[in-house]
Amino acid sequence: MGDTGRQLFFQARFAVNHQRMRTDVWRLAQSLKASPTADAIHAARKASRLALLRLRVLKPALEGHLYKRLHKLLHELVDLTGESRDAEVQWRLMVKVAGSAPSSGRSSARSPLTALGTRRRRAISQLARYLRSAAFSRYLMRLNADLPILDALQAITRTRERALLRYRQMLSNLAKLLKRPVTVHTVHPLRVQVRKAYHLARLFELRGASGAGPLGRKLHVLQADLGDLHDAVLLALWLQKHGLMDSGDTGVVLESVMMHTLRRCRRKMKPLRHAIHRYLRDES
C-alpha cells in the first residue's frame, strides 16, 4: 500500500472506530442505570477507559479547560464502577479457589467467601443507589452534551497524525518494557501499558466491527492474562489486610493460581515483542 493509500485507510478506520467507541460510552452508561449487573458494570467501565485513552490522543486539539472537563467526566464513570468491579472479580476468583481446594480445606474458605460476598453486595447496593439519584441523571446529561465534541475533533488530519505517532511511540516503549522480567510485584505497571496499547490497537487496527489485527490479538491475550494475575494479587492482598489469608489449602491454591498465571504471561511476552517490531517495521 502506497503512502496515500495507507493515509486514507488510516483516516477511515480512525473515524469509524472513534465514533463507535464514543457512542458506546453513552449507550452503556444508560444501560448501567437501567440494570447495574456485573456485565453492565464491566462494559461501562471498559468503554470509559477506551474513551479516556482516545481523549488523551485528541488532547492537542482540545482547549485546556475542555480537556479537563471531559477527562473528569469520563474518569468519574471509571471511579464509580471500580469497587463494584473489584468486589465481583475477587469474589468469583475466591469461589474458584475454594472449589479447587481439597475437601478437607474448603471449610477454611467459608469465612473469606462470606466476607467477600458481603463486600460485593454492599458495593452493588451503593452503586445502584447512586445510579438512581438525581446526581447521576445530571451526569448523563453532561455526558450527552460533551461527548459529541470528540466526533468533530477526530476529523482533524493533524490530530490523526499525532495519534498515530503516539501509538507508534507507545508500542516502541512497550517493546522495551517487555524485555524486563515480570513478577507479581511489577504486574500492574505492565498491565496498564499493555491495556493502553491494546485500546489504541483497536482504534487503528480494526478491520470491521469485530476482530483486530495480529498485533491487536496478541495484546488482548496478554492483557487478559495480566488482568487475571493482577486480580489474584489484589485478592491475596485483600485477604491479608483483613486477616483472612490462611496458610492451609486455600492459601496454597491461590498461590498456585498466581504462579501458573505468571508463567502464562511470561510465555507470551517474547512473541508479543516480536509482533510489535514487525508492526513498526511494516508500517514505517
Side-chain angles (χ1 to χ4, degrees):
M1 184 184 295
D3 290 343
T4 302
R6 184 181 291 109
Q7 178 68 10
L8 289 173
F9 178 64
F10 162 62
Q11 291 177 9
R13 68 191 184 193
F14 183 95
V16 171
N17 294 329
H18 194 285
Q19 166 67 19
R20 186 167 64 83
M21 297 303 175
R22 197 277 298 173
T23 304
D24 280 351
V25 178
W26 167 246
R27 177 176 58 81
L28 291 168
Q30 288 183 309
S31 299
L32 183 64
K33 182 177 182 179
S35 179
T37 62
D39 289 341
I41 290 170
H42 177 57
R45 185 172 172 81
K46 185 167 65 174
S48 300
R49 287 189 181 280
L50 287 168
L52 269 171
L53 188 63
R54 280 144 186 77
L55 179 64
R56 294 186 186 109
V57 164
L58 295 170
K59 185 177 180 179
L62 284 165
E63 296 179 6
H65 71 280
L66 182 57
Y67 173 81
K68 290 179 181 178
R69 190 173 80 225
L70 286 167
H71 187 275
K72 181 179 179 181
L73 196 64
L74 291 167
H75 219 293
E76 187 175 331
L77 192 56
V78 175
D79 293 341
L80 175 68
T81 54
E83 171 61 12
S84 300
R85 177 62 180 164
D86 287 348
E88 177 71 26
V89 167
Q90 291 172 31
W91 178 80
R92 290 184 181 184
L93 178 56
M94 192 64 211
V95 169
K96 292 180 181 179
V97 168
S100 301
S103 55
S104 59
R106 289 180 187 173
S107 59
S108 65
R110 290 175 187 168
S111 182
L113 275 174
T114 300
L116 283 165
T118 300
R119 176 193 176 195
R120 175 173 168 258
R121 289 190 297 273
R122 185 185 300 118
I124 292 291
S125 176
Q126 290 174 347
L127 175 61
R129 189 160 54 247
Y130 176 73
L131 294 175
R132 293 192 298 268
S133 70
F136 189 69
S137 295
R138 290 193 295 270
Y139 171 83
L140 287 177
M141 291 175 64
R142 297 199 312 273
L143 199 67
N144 191 43
D146 284 350
L147 282 181
I149 296 170
L150 300 182
D151 293 338
L153 292 176
Q154 58 86 17
I156 302 173
T157 302
R158 189 179 179 190
T159 300
R160 287 194 300 264
E161 292 171 350
R162 286 182 175 180
L164 184 56
L165 287 173
R166 181 187 177 97
Y167 177 45
R168 290 173 57 81
Q169 185 60 53
M170 178 177 287
L171 288 177
S172 179
N173 293 338
L174 178 58
K176 296 174 184 176
L177 195 60
L178 289 169
K179 290 182 178 180
R180 304 173 187 172
V182 63
T183 68
V184 293
H185 304 293
T186 62
V187 59
H188 184 58
L190 177 60
R191 173 177 173 257
V192 169
Q193 294 306 313
V194 171
R195 183 180 66 209
K196 288 180 179 179
Y198 169 60
H199 289 339
L200 282 176
R202 292 185 65 189
L203 183 63
F204 294 122
E205 291 189 75
L206 280 173
R207 300 296 191 264
S210 62
L215 175 57
R217 286 192 291 271
K218 282 184 169 59
L219 286 165
H220 179 54
V221 170
L222 182 58
Q223 180 214 1
D225 286 343
L226 289 169
D228 290 344
L229 178 57
H230 183 61
D231 291 337
V233 171
L234 287 183
L235 174 58
L237 291 174
W238 189 88
L239 293 174
Q240 290 172 355
K241 179 181 178 181
H242 292 83
L244 296 170
M245 174 66 87
D246 64 76
S247 57
D249 293 325
T250 302
V252 170
V253 171
L254 183 54
E255 179 72 17
S256 175
V257 168
M258 286 193 288
M259 291 301 102
H260 174 73
T261 311
L262 179 59
R263 288 192 294 271
R264 203 167 67 221
C265 293
R266 287 171 173 169
R267 285 197 299 268
K268 292 170 182 173
M269 288 171 64
K270 186 175 180 179
L272 174 58
R273 193 172 76 246
H274 290 167
I276 289 173
H277 289 316
R278 284 195 297 272
Y279 177 84
L280 294 174
R281 180 195 64 207
D282 294 344
E283 292 290 324
S284 61

